[in-house]
C-alpha cells in the first residue's frame, strides 16, 4: 500500500544509447561508449578515459530540473524519503524508440534531484504509452512502498 505519492510531468528523457561518451583524459580523443567498448577501452578501473554526458543529455537534465525546481516549494526536501519505492511512467503514443532505454535516464534524474532514493531501491516499475500524455513529455508517478 502506498504511503507517499508524487506525480510529475517532465520533458521526454533522451535515449541512453547516446547519452554518454568517452573522452581520453590526457589527449584529444573522443569516442562513443560503444566505440570504446568495442576496442576495450572502457572497463572498471580504467584510468586514462572518462565518461562524459553528451550535450543533449545535459540540456535535458537542465530542462527537467527546472520543472522540478518550479514545484520544489510545495515539495519536501526528499519527496519520498528513504526506503523502497515504485515508479510509473507514461510516454506519449507518438514517441519513437523503445520505452526501456529512456527509463534509466529518468531513474538517475529522479535520484539526482532527490525525489527518490537511489534506483537500487526501486521495487515496482510500470512503463507504457498513453494517448493522454502530451508529445515531448512523460507522466511520472513515484510512491513509497511499505516494507
Amino acid at each position: 500500500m502506498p504511503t507517499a505519492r508524487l506525480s510529475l510531468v517532465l520533458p521526454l528523457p533522451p535515449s541512453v544509447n547516446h547519452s554518454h561518451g568517452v573522452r581520453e583524459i590526457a589527449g584529444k580523443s573522443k569516442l562513443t561508449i560503444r566505440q570504446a567498448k568495442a576496442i576495450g577501452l572502457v572497463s572498471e578501473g580504467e584510468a586514462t578515459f572518462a565518461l562524459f554526458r553528451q550535450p543533449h543529455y545535459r540540456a535535458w537534465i537542465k530542462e527537467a530540473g527546472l520543472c522540478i525546481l518550479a514545484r520544489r516549494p510545495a515539495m519536501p526536501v526528499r519527496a519520498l524519503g528513504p526506503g523502497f519505492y515504485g515508479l510509473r511512467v507514461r510516454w506519449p503514443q507518438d514517441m519513437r524508440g523503445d520505452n526501456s532505454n529512456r527509463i534509466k535516464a529518468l531513474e538517475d534524474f529522479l535520484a539526482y534531484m532527490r525525489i527518490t532514493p537511489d534506483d537500487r531501491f526501486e521495487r515496482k516499475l510500470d512503463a507504457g504509452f498513453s494517448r493522454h500524455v502530451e508529445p515531448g513529455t512523460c507522466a511520472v508517478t513515484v510512491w513509497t512502498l511499505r516494507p
Side-chain angles (χ1 to χ4, degrees):
M1 192 72 171
T3 58
R5 181 180 297 266
L6 176 67
S7 295
L8 303 162
V9 174
L10 295 173
L12 194 62
S15 164
V16 295
N17 292 344
H18 305 289
S19 62
H20 290 79
V22 179
R23 179 178 295 134
E24 187 177 4
I25 294 173
K28 298 178 183 176
S29 174
K30 290 184 181 180
L31 304 170
T32 66
I33 291 177
R34 184 174 291 156
Q35 291 168 329
K37 284 182 179 177
I39 57 176
L41 296 177
V42 178
S43 64
E44 233 174 278
E46 183 66 56
T48 58
F49 289 83
L51 292 174
F52 68 96
R53 292 177 177 158
Q54 296 285 6
H56 69 279
Y57 184 54
R58 288 195 312 267
W60 173 77
I61 290 171
K62 183 176 181 178
E63 183 182 359
L66 291 173
C67 292
I68 298 292
L69 292 176
R71 288 199 53 190
R72 186 58 91 186
M75 293 168 44
V77 172
R78 183 173 289 279
L80 297 187
F84 298 124
Y85 71 95
L87 172 65
R88 180 178 191 259
V89 185
R90 290 295 177 260
W91 313 111
Q93 280 190 320
D94 68 345
M95 183 186 84
R96 295 181 62 181
D98 60 288
N99 76 42
S100 63
N101 77 12
R102 296 177 190 269
I103 292 171
K104 180 63 177 160
L106 185 59
E107 290 167 336
D108 289 346
F109 171 76
L110 292 171
Y112 173 74
M113 292 300 294
R114 300 177 54 93
I115 301 298
T116 62
D118 188 272
D119 58 357
R120 71 177 180 259
F121 295 107
E122 181 182 297
R123 291 298 183 261
K124 289 188 181 277
L125 174 62
D126 176 18
F129 296 86
S130 172
R131 69 175 188 266
H132 302 292
V133 177
E134 294 289 322
T137 67
C138 63
V140 178
T141 302
V142 291
W143 66 93
T144 57
L145 298 170
R146 292 189 181 163

